[in-house]
Amino acid sequence: MKVAGQHYRTIYPVQDGAAVEVIDQTRLPHEFATVRLSRLDDAVRAIADMIVRGAPLIGATGAYGMALALRADATTAALEEARRRLVAARPTAVNLRWAVDEVLSAVAPLPVAERAAAAFQCAAELCDEDVASCASIGEYGKQILGELAKQHPGRPINVLTHCNAGWLATVDYGTALAPIYKAHDAGIAVHVWVDETRPRNQGASLTAWELGQHGVPHTAIADNAGGHLMQHGRVDVCIVGSDRTTARGDVCNKVGTYLKALAAHDCGVPFYAALTGPTIDWEIDDGLAQIPIEERGADEVRWVRGRTAQGAVVSVDILPASSQAANPAFDVTPARLVTGLITERGVCPATAEGLRRLYPEK
Amino acid sequence: MKVAGQHYRTIYPVQDGAAVEVIDQTRLPHEFATVRLSRLDDAVRAIADMIVRGAPLIGATGAYGMALALRADATTAALEEARRRLVAARPTAVNLRWAVDEVLSAVAPLPVAERAAAAFQCAAELCDEDVASCASIGEYGKQILGELAKQHPGRPINVLTHCNAGWLATVDYGTALAPIYKAHDAGIAVHVWVDETRPRNQGASLTAWELGQHGVPHTAIADNAGGHLMQHGRVDVCIVGSDRTTARGDVCNKVGTYLKALAAHDCGVPFYAALTGPTIDWEIDDGLAQIPIEERGADEVRWVRGRTAQGAVVSVDILPASSQAANPAFDVTPARLVTGLITERGVCPATAEGLRRLYPEK
């Protein structure tokens, strides 16, 4: 994807692999800046502080984090410690655990001296695979949008999305937004309702920004508005990402996703989750009972970052001084509310059978 | 209710009835200030700019707005013009139309010279009636909370509310919050989950503030979080207000209410709307088809007001400069999702029969 005309991935090696750079997503949409990650600590901080976010990009950062750790100390003890610290940085992210373990199993059999280089190689391959997977999701999802366009000729297809499952959440293309980019590029008229996605406003600050960079028509809305729009036929389809999907198709995603799925179900609007294979947690079925939900700090609810009329980027406190806040970061959408899962291998129903048909090796 | 220990209503006459004062709700929770309304224009602006908001308080302000207009010009032409301008200030508010028409029909038969004084008298009576109605809603709703407290001994009852239907939305007590205040004062332990209620953050800025002033335990949450909390049994009951209720019990309320009602229904959590009789629009049944939803300005989505760490109250822009925003202000919750309506005459099912039993004269 392009930023001001220049092609970027969201994570890429620099200095002959001695470091990697990422886009600082906490500073968008008002500032575009990259951050250099040179050590394990940098990678852990980038994940925990959400300088990088989005399941696939967190995984890629975790993989490079392992490589950066091994460059400093490639002993087996250091390898295990790096794995532990990276996985703990975002406990809900199944991709993170998967990517870190991919690196671990690739390098553990090797002599200590060869491990760092092999880890960088492994991380680079995981990134390339993610790009290919997202491109494939885009092609499959484009077909869904194309079918809707045939049903509603002469007007754009209205897609509602929540949070940011765009190219900023992945290495390139995105998951939920990949079908939108592919459709837009193929000449299918698409308009996106962008949930602002409180408390961190990833929709307002990231999704709106990247859609704007790509020239896709979009309108930001409060998270409260989507139900009303669906009641009045102003949403043709919802597409969201997933941080973790269970073997039977329950979708854990940014908090508030469940509410939109309920409205879509109530209003007869198709509701899709777009995700890559590594996001599927084959070991669990019941997302509501089995997925621990990360509770993040109350300050994310209290403080809102934005730009003043004078151009200064500041945070403002929206709560009375004496009030508390709670901040569950994700929720689980039961599979019964999900029309289908858009994966790099095709679209399937959100069922154990559907997923097994696409991933028979699991 | 009290502000810093002093009793206040949200609207009250001053200067021997030559003007009224209201609390400027756009400046809460960071600043407490009152605004004097001396002319019709002031009342229209207070309603349109949401210096006052909440169906009952809008109605009270509309009634005093008529009185202020008549003080300047009590001719029948001026009377009609005042009615037109006040009703147009917030088209969704059925209380506003009701209150303005109450004043109109009280003063229209009178000689021109007597109209202004009669209008002030009528407005004062409407305010007193609203206070009595809210107190009664509080008593009926307290019984619901008391029953829940018996079912869950030894812990507080968790109530989720959306927007502000508290004393700031009425002349005193509130509608949705009246049961909470009455229960709290009666020694029933209550904890309130306060939806922040984007885009204007009435929950974060008003509900949290007034609960805090009264000492009621509460926790602010992003609007996205309520579904997750209900899925995990952390909400015992939802109570919201209503800007307009149809004859069959459809509830038009702040946008996002529908999403919470869906989650409550899905999770088996009782969902109540609290409202006074004048909020019921007996002329319509199908809220979704028949209630026009006010579209407010995009700037309410774009700009978030709060206090910086240095103490300055400023607004910040959260969107990319090139992005648009849409701002539907209300949605309609179909009666099928509403457990019951809490009114000044008692609690009834959200059905035409239930409402007719409470209001047989309609």
Side-chain angles (χ1 to χ4, degrees):
Chain A
M1 303 293 293
K2 291 193 171 182
V3 177
Q6 183 183 342
H7 181 264
Y8 270 90
R9 284 185 172 187
T10 54
I11 186 167
Y12 46 90
V14 291
Q15 295 181 320
D16 289 336
V20 294
E21 279 186 358
V22 297
I23 297 167
D24 184 350
Q25 302 196 19
T26 65
R27 297 170 72 175
L28 291 173
H30 303 300
E31 302 166 274
F32 178 80
T34 58
V35 174
R36 186 158 295 186
L37 313 180
S38 306
R39 301 175 306 133
L40 171 63
D41 283 355
D42 299 337
V44 169
R45 189 175 54 82
I47 293 168
D49 293 353
M50 298 180 72
I51 291 169
V52 296
R53 19 72 52 210
L57 177 56
I58 289 172
T61 308
Y64 273 118
M66 290 290 281
L68 295 171
L70 292 173
R71 202 169 53 84
D73 181 351
T75 61
T76 299
L79 192 60
E80 292 289 350
E81 173 66 4
R83 177 192 185 280
R84 190 193 62 73
R85 289 193 53 208
L86 286 162
V87 168
R90 287 300 295 281
T92 309
V94 66
N95 283 56
L96 175 59
R97 197 176 63 192
W98 169 82
V100 164
D101 284 346
E102 286 283 303
V103 176
L104 185 74
S105 53
V107 305
L110 301 178
V112 168
E114 297 174 16
R115 285 175 171 172
F120 273 102
Q121 178 62 27
C122 181
E125 286 169 8
L126 292 180
C127 287
D128 289 345
E129 283 169 24
D130 186 62
V131 174
S133 291
C134 289
S136 180
I137 285 172
E139 291 297 331
Y140 286 114
K142 183 182 75 177
Q143 294 172 25
I144 294 170
L145 298 178
E147 286 302 315
L148 287 167
K150 281 183 205 158
Q151 292 168 32
H152 303 287
R155 67 158 175 86
I157 294 307
N158 290 297
V159 185
L160 184 143
T161 193
H162 190 69
C163 198
N164 176 265
W167 78 270
L168 286 167
T170 62
V171 180
D172 208 343
Y173 287 110
T175 52
L177 297 194
I180 291 163
Y181 290 125
K182 291 280 188 182
H184 177 84
D185 291 348
I188 299 168
V190 176
H191 165 263
V192 184
W193 296 108
V194 179
D195 275 0
E196 62 179 2
T197 319
R198 287 280 296 149
R200 290 185 65 96
N201 287 350
Q202 293 97 331
S205 61
L206 304 179
T207 299
W209 181 81
E210 64 164 273
L211 289 172
Q213 292 284 324
H214 200 78
V216 179
H218 63 279
T219 306
I221 51 174
D223 299 306
N224 286 320
H228 166 74
L229 294 174
M230 288 191 241
Q231 285 180 309
H232 288 272
R234 297 171 70 188
V235 179
D236 296 303
V237 60
C238 300
I239 311 180
V240 300
S242 174
D243 287 76
R244 194 165 173 181
T245 306
T246 74
R248 73 177 187 197
D250 291 348
V251 172
C252 182
N253 192 47
K254 183 59 53 190
V255 70
T257 301
Y258 165 59
L259 295 170
K260 295 304 144 62
L262 285 167
H265 189 261
D266 197 49
C267 299
V269 174
F271 186 95
Y272 290 93
L275 53 109
T276 59
T279 313
I280 305 165
D281 189 339
W282 296 98
E283 292 174 15
I284 61 176
D285 283 307
D286 182 345
L288 208 49
Q290 294 180 277
I291 298 179
I293 299 295
E294 180 183 359
E295 291 271 348
R296 296 184 60 86
D299 277 357
E300 292 186 350
V301 178
R302 177 176 284 283
W303 294 92
V304 178
R305 186 179 174 83
R307 188 168 50 188
T308 66
Q310 290 73 39
V313 176
V314 301
S315 292
V316 295
D317 180 356
I318 62 165
L319 287 174
S322 64
S323 294
Q324 308 296 312
N327 185 15
F330 300 91
D331 64 22
V332 171
T333 299
R336 64 184 153 87
L337 301 175
V338 180
T339 308
L341 304 172
I342 310 173
T343 79
E344 74 280 11
R345 296 193 187 177
V347 181
C348 73
T351 61
E353 300 68 35
L355 280 169
R356 268 202 301 271
R357 205 163 57 239
L358 288 186
Y359 298 90
E361 75 277 18
K362 295 293 179 180
Chain B
M1 303 290 296
K2 291 195 171 180
V3 176
Q6 183 183 343
H7 181 265
Y8 270 90
R9 284 186 173 187
T10 54
I11 187 166
Y12 47 89
V14 291
Q15 295 181 318
D16 288 335
V20 293
E21 279 186 357
V22 296
I23 297 168
D24 184 349
Q25 302 197 18
T26 65
R27 297 171 72 174
L28 291 173
H30 303 300
E31 302 166 276
F32 178 80
T34 57
V35 175
R36 185 158 297 186
L37 313 181
S38 306
R39 301 176 305 134
L40 170 63
D41 283 355
D42 298 338
V44 169
R45 189 175 54 83
I47 294 168
D49 293 354
M50 297 177 74
I51 290 168
V52 296
R53 18 70 55 210
L57 178 56
I58 289 172
T61 308
Y64 273 117
M66 290 290 280
L68 295 171
L70 292 173
R71 202 170 52 86
D73 181 351
T75 60
T76 299
L79 194 60
E80 292 290 346
E81 173 66 4
R83 178 194 184 279
R84 190 193 61 73
R85 290 193 53 208
L86 286 162
V87 168
R90 288 299 296 279
T92 309
V94 67
N95 284 57
L96 175 59
R97 197 176 61 192
W98 169 82
V100 164
D101 285 345
E102 286 284 303
V103 176
L104 184 74
S105 52
V107 305
L110 301 179
V112 168
E114 296 173 20
R115 284 175 172 174
F120 273 102
Q121 178 62 27
C122 182
E125 286 168 6
L126 292 180
C127 287
D128 289 344
E129 283 169 24
D130 186 62
V131 173
S133 291
C134 289
S136 181
I137 286 173
E139 291 298 330
Y140 286 114
K142 184 182 76 176
Q143 294 172 23
I144 294 171
L145 298 178
E147 286 301 315
L148 288 167
K150 283 183 203 157
Q151 292 167 33
H152 304 288
R155 67 158 175 84
I157 294 307
N158 290 296
V159 185
L160 183 142
T161 193
H162 190 69
C163 199
N164 176 264
W167 78 270
L168 286 167
T170 63
V171 180
D172 207 343
Y173 287 109
T175 52
L177 298 194
I180 291 164
Y181 290 125
K182 292 280 188 182
H184 176 85
D185 291 347
I188 300 168
V190 177
H191 165 263
V192 184
W193 296 109
V194 179
D195 275 1
E196 62 180 3
T197 319
R198 288 281 293 147
R200 290 185 67 96
N201 288 348
Q202 293 97 331
S205 61
L206 304 180
T207 298
W209 180 82
E210 64 163 271
L211 290 171
Q213 292 284 325
H214 200 80
V216 179
H218 63 279
T219 305
I221 50 174
D223 299 304
N224 287 318
H228 166 74
L229 295 172
M230 288 191 238
Q231 285 179 310
H232 289 272
R234 297 171 68 188
V235 179
D236 296 304
V237 60
C238 300
I239 310 179
V240 300
S242 175
D243 287 75
R244 193 164 173 181
T245 306
T246 73
R248 75 176 186 198
D250 292 348
V251 172
C252 182
N253 191 46
K254 184 59 53 190
V255 70
T257 300
Y258 166 58
L259 296 169
K260 294 304 143 60
L262 285 167
H265 190 259
D266 197 49
C267 299
V269 174
F271 185 96
Y272 291 94
L275 53 110
T276 59
T279 313
I280 305 166
D281 188 340
W282 297 98
E283 292 173 17
I284 61 175
D285 283 307
D286 182 344
L288 208 50
Q290 294 180 275
I291 298 179
I293 299 295
E294 179 182 359
E295 292 271 347
R296 295 184 59 85
D299 277 357
E300 292 186 350
V301 179
R302 175 176 286 283
W303 293 93
V304 178
R305 186 177 174 85
R307 189 168 50 188
T308 67
Q310 290 73 39
V313 175
V314 299
S315 292
V316 295
D317 180 357
I318 63 165
L319 286 174
S322 64
S323 293
Q324 308 296 311
N327 186 15
F330 300 90
D331 63 23
V332 171
T333 298
R336 65 183 152 85
L337 301 175
V338 179
T339 307
L341 304 173
I342 310 174
T343 79
E344 74 279 12
R345 296 193 187 177
V347 181
C348 73
T351 61
E353 298 70 34
L355 279 169
R356 269 202 301 269
R357 206 165 52 241
L358 288 186
Y359 297 90
E361 75 277 19
K362 296 292 177 179

